[in-house]
Amino acid sequence: MRSFAPLAALLGLAACGDGPKAPPCTGVCTAPHLTTLDLIAGQPGGAGWVDGVGAAAHFSDPWTMASDGTQLFLADGSTIRAIDPASVAVSTLAGSFGGVGGVDGPGPQATFYGPSGMAATTGLVYVSDTENHTVRKIDLATDQVTTIAGVYGVNGATDDIGVAARFREPEGLALDAGGVLYIADTDNNTIRRMDLGSGAVTTVCGMAGAVGNIDAVAGAARFNKPKAITLDGLGNLYTIDSGNLSLRKVVLADGTVSTIVTFTTAANGMDRDGADLLISLGDHRIVRVVLATAAITTVAGAENQAGFVDGSGADARFSRPAGLLNDGAGSIYVADEGNYALRKLTLASGAVTTFAGARSMGSDDGTGGQARFWGPQGMVVEGSETAYVADTNNHTIRKVVLATGEVTTIAGAAGQTGNTDAAAGDARFNQPSGLALDEPAHLLYIADAGNRLIRRLDLASGAVSTLPYTTAPGGTFLNFNYPAGLALDGGRLFITDYGSHTLLALDYKTTQVTVIAGAAMVAGSMNGTGSKARFYSPSGIVADGHGNLYVADLMNAAIRKVVIATGEVTTVAGTLDIQGSTDGVAGAAGFAYPSQLAIDGLGDLFVADSNNNLVRHIDLASATVTTVIGTRMVSGVRLGPLPAQLTLPAALALTADGRLALFSENALLLAH
């Protein structure tokens, strides 16, 4: 691959040369040497797998937790994560993201399949590997994972010794001081016990294969998918009987089962707080169950109000809170599954804070990590100093000073849609998407997708206006149908109309609109000239300054080239209508919903390959596609040395000095 450098005439940068014998370079002409990915503004957050500290960590499916008194342990998708409570450093103890299986081995060589229950003691962590029907052990001195009961992939209900025992999707675990591990054998509808000294597994109560809701003794009792369990240290076990929406009590001495309370919604996680139990509910609350009276009170969150809000008591918001862990020092850790984060609840005050992981979306202005964006789809850079962002879901236009990360809203109002032409904050947009910058005139053109309009922002005065348009004589254009991408070239504004599957040209001096290629409302994947060509939801577009346009043909998973003078459409890279992820030459390369583009005057094209979580580079001279940023099959923003990691990259732009700006997880990142 030759040297990198995108975004050309779209930025309106002055022409420059590449040596006395080189062809003229129009647009960005400084070749970058990208090695590192840094955060400029916003806060990455969401689903993924990234080891890091605090907000930098990503989780894929945080479910249940345990502690050995020093570290926290979390069952997270197909991995077991370890968290240092003091530093909030998150690391992967065993398993690997996406590595589903039941293989024993050290650390990342081991594989899990849906681990759901955990218990820990000094030097050891026990895991119910639910979909593998086994109980596993992790030796913290060596990170060695060993199966201690059940057999990988074999279900059953046999009481026996160690691997001769059989389970059916066991979930909750609880460990007593005498070395007995209690197991909620969920799909067998039983509570089991394992003597860790002898390995003997026996059934405490319930009957395998018998579903019901009967309070009785031992084998006469009936459950319906018991899940989380906890011990009170007084000879009693409590379990969330999920199918019966109830909390059940088991007297361990004789197996007597009784019902304590019934819920109106699913319960997920549980831990003790003195003589009470704290339980996470599917209605997004943490509640307290007073065992002496069976009273239920809300500790944090609000009934049926999901969200990601730090606050006290009813002002806090969770999204599908799952596992709970009492640290014994006045705090409860919450695996906030729907927010892909760990939260911390201070019991004395009811205050909820985010412990690890992060909330990414919002609309706050601020500097660096204080700022928030929500689904930005368009960006241009003025020189090397200033980025302008179409903050799509906030319905605003934002300005970012790249050197400091300072973010300000320069047009529109967050959360308010409309199509009002006015100055700055009085203007209104509806899902602004693509941007194009006429830098000499200091004008920003905006594809106002939800309003089906093209708008113009005078950056000097802050005034927003709507571009008038008419159909060119003999033309077929009727109106815009979700304009997505913009590019400027030769006094015309080129527009990818995502909704009508066409490429349009608007002469903003004459106001006339013509269809350059494609047929309105006819999706397809044909190369050809003008109306004979077909696109399928074209998105990003750039101009190379030499009479050509390049289009990210989103649903066709390909990059197309359009000769402006003739309307001839050809495929540069990717195979039309076939999703893929491979590097290669032309049609041998694969993309998955390529959304945005950036180009330079040196023959380099960059692609936001959204569903592959990658940024790709195309050498236009050879049509060779290579991966620049991101890791296949892995999501979550990981900063640092390339290739780093991304989630759904969008809104590419190149600075004049050759740095590549992009958005991922609502955060503005810069590769340099």
Side-chain angles (χ1 to χ4, degrees):
M1 177 175 54
R2 47 196 295 265
S3 58
F4 306 147
L7 233 159
L10 176 59
L11 303 184
L13 300 176
C16 53
D18 191 28
K21 295 182 181 180
C25 172
T26 302
V28 176
C29 303
T30 301
H33 303 281
L34 306 178
T35 61
T36 304
L37 185 67
D38 286 334
L39 174 67
I40 299 299
Q43 176 61 67
W49 180 58
V50 178
D51 288 342
V53 177
H58 281 59
F59 305 96
S60 65
D61 186 20
W63 185 250
T64 192
M65 291 177 287
S67 175
D68 65 353
T70 301
Q71 297 185 87
L72 305 179
F73 303 100
L74 172 72
D76 182 28
S78 58
T79 65
I80 306 300
R81 316 287 291 275
I83 303 105
D84 181 334
S87 66
V88 201
V90 179
S91 59
T92 301
L93 175 64
S96 60
F97 184 77
V100 173
V103 178
D104 288 343
Q109 295 180 30
T111 52
F112 298 87
Y113 188 9
S116 297
M118 301 185 75
T121 187
T122 303
L124 297 171
V125 177
Y126 297 94
V127 180
S128 60
D129 198 3
T130 302
E131 300 298 327
N132 282 325
H133 315 292
T134 57
V135 177
R136 319 278 293 277
K137 178 179 73 174
I138 306 174
D139 186 328
L140 296 177
T142 62
D143 294 345
Q144 178 70 31
V145 178
T146 307
T147 300
I148 61 171
V151 172
Y152 167 34
V154 179
N155 62 53
T158 307
D159 285 345
D160 212 319
I161 306 297
V163 295
R166 295 291 180 268
F167 304 90
R168 191 181 301 272
E169 298 197 8
E171 295 202 24
L173 295 182
L175 180 64
D176 74 6
V180 173
L181 186 67
Y182 290 91
I183 305 157
D185 195 0
T186 302
D187 278 18
N188 274 326
N189 300 301
T190 57
I191 304 298
R192 318 280 291 278
R193 72 188 299 276
M194 180 178 183
D195 185 312
L196 294 173
S198 66
V201 176
T202 54
T203 299
V204 176
C205 53
M207 179 177 289
V211 179
N213 187 15
I214 301 175
D215 288 342
V217 177
R222 295 292 181 267
F223 298 91
N224 188 353
K225 296 188 182 301
K227 292 191 174 182
I229 58 177
T230 191
L231 301 168
D232 67 2
L234 301 173
N236 303 306
L237 177 148
Y238 297 88
T239 182
I240 291 172
D241 193 7
S242 64
N244 288 318
L245 298 179
S246 62
L247 173 66
R248 313 285 293 278
K249 175 183 176 181
V250 181
V251 178
L252 295 173
D254 61 4
T256 298
V257 177
S258 58
T259 300
I260 304 299
V261 295
T262 299
F263 304 104
T264 59
T265 187
N268 294 319
M270 174 173 57
D271 205 352
R272 290 170 48 210
D273 181 35
D276 303 335
L277 293 177
L278 294 174
I279 294 176
S280 59
L281 295 181
D283 64 11
H284 315 296
R285 290 183 296 157
I286 309 299
V287 300
R288 178 183 297 277
V289 177
V290 179
L291 294 174
T293 63
I296 302 174
T297 57
T298 299
V299 177
E303 186 174 6
N304 295 321
Q305 295 187 42
F308 196 168
V309 179
D310 287 344
S312 293
D315 293 331
R317 293 292 180 270
F318 303 93
S319 179
R320 302 193 308 273
L324 302 181
L325 177 66
N326 193 330
D327 70 355
S331 296
I332 294 287
Y333 295 99
V334 182
D336 196 358
E337 185 198 23
N339 285 319
Y340 310 104
L342 300 184
R343 316 286 291 282
K344 188 174 183 179
L345 166 61
T346 301
L347 292 170
S349 64
V352 175
T353 56
T354 300
F355 180 66
R359 169 181 176 265
S360 67
M361 65 184 185
S363 60
D364 297 345
D365 287 340
T367 299
Q370 298 174 347
R372 292 292 183 272
F373 301 87
W374 188 11
Q377 293 299 311
M379 176 169 55
V380 292
V381 175
E382 184 176 25
S384 294
E385 297 80 29
T386 305
Y388 297 99
V389 178
D391 198 1
T392 304
N393 291 338
N394 279 322
H395 314 292
T396 57
I397 306 300
R398 318 285 291 278
K399 175 183 176 181
V400 185
V401 179
L402 295 178
T404 64
E406 181 185 4
V407 179
T408 53
T409 300
I410 60 173
Q416 299 186 37
T417 61
N419 63 355
T420 306
D421 287 340
D426 293 327
R428 294 293 180 267
F429 303 92
N430 188 352
Q431 293 191 313
S433 184
L435 299 179
L437 177 64
D438 183 347
E439 188 168 343
H442 217 46
L443 297 173
L444 185 67
Y445 292 89
I446 303 157
D448 194 3
N451 282 322
R452 296 172 169 80
L453 297 172
I454 305 301
R455 315 287 290 281
R456 181 167 55 197
L457 169 61
D458 186 322
L459 292 170
S461 67
V464 175
S465 58
T466 299
L467 264 64
Y469 60 86
T470 58
T471 301
T476 59
F477 172 78
L478 295 176
N479 49 47
F480 297 110
N481 188 346
Y482 210 88
L486 300 180
L488 283 169
D489 189 274
R492 289 193 292 174
L493 188 64
F494 294 93
I495 305 157
T496 52
D497 199 37
Y498 179 95
S500 70
H501 315 294
T502 56
L503 174 60
L504 309 172
L506 168 60
D507 187 320
Y508 49 85
K509 294 179 181 177
T510 67
T511 74
Q512 291 182 349
V513 178
T514 55
V515 179
I516 299 298
M521 309 310 296
V522 181
S525 56
M526 293 173 54
N527 288 323
T529 299
S531 61
K532 295 181 181 179
R534 294 290 182 269
F535 299 95
Y536 192 177
S537 300
S539 183
I541 182 173
V542 290
D544 68 359
H546 300 289
N548 304 303
L549 302 168
Y550 293 89
V551 175
D553 199 359
L554 187 86
M555 299 301 290
N556 274 325
I559 309 304
R560 317 287 292 279
K561 175 183 177 181
V562 184
V563 178
I564 294 174
T566 65
E568 180 188 7
V569 179
T570 55
T571 301
V572 175
T575 301
L576 288 168
D577 202 28
I578 297 178
Q579 306 287 325
S581 63
T582 56
D583 289 343
V585 177
F591 300 91
Y593 301 101
S595 61
Q596 304 291 334
L597 301 176
I599 196 171
D600 66 9
L602 304 173
D604 298 297
L605 184 68
F606 287 80
V607 182
D609 193 7
S610 297
N611 276 27
N612 280 324
N613 298 325
L614 305 174
V615 172
R616 317 288 289 282
H617 170 268
I618 304 176
D619 183 330
L620 292 173
S622 65
T624 300
V625 178
T626 52
T627 297
V628 180
I629 309 174
T631 304
R632 289 179 180 83
M633 304 299 293
V634 178
S635 62
V637 169
R638 176 169 56 82
L639 304 172
L642 297 184
Q645 282 179 209
L646 300 172
T647 300
L648 298 173
L652 303 183
L654 227 168
T655 67
D657 58 5
R659 296 173 293 164
L660 181 64
L662 66 144
F663 271 90
S664 180
E665 292 184 344
N666 297 303
L668 176 56
L669 311 176
L670 195 64
H672 59 95

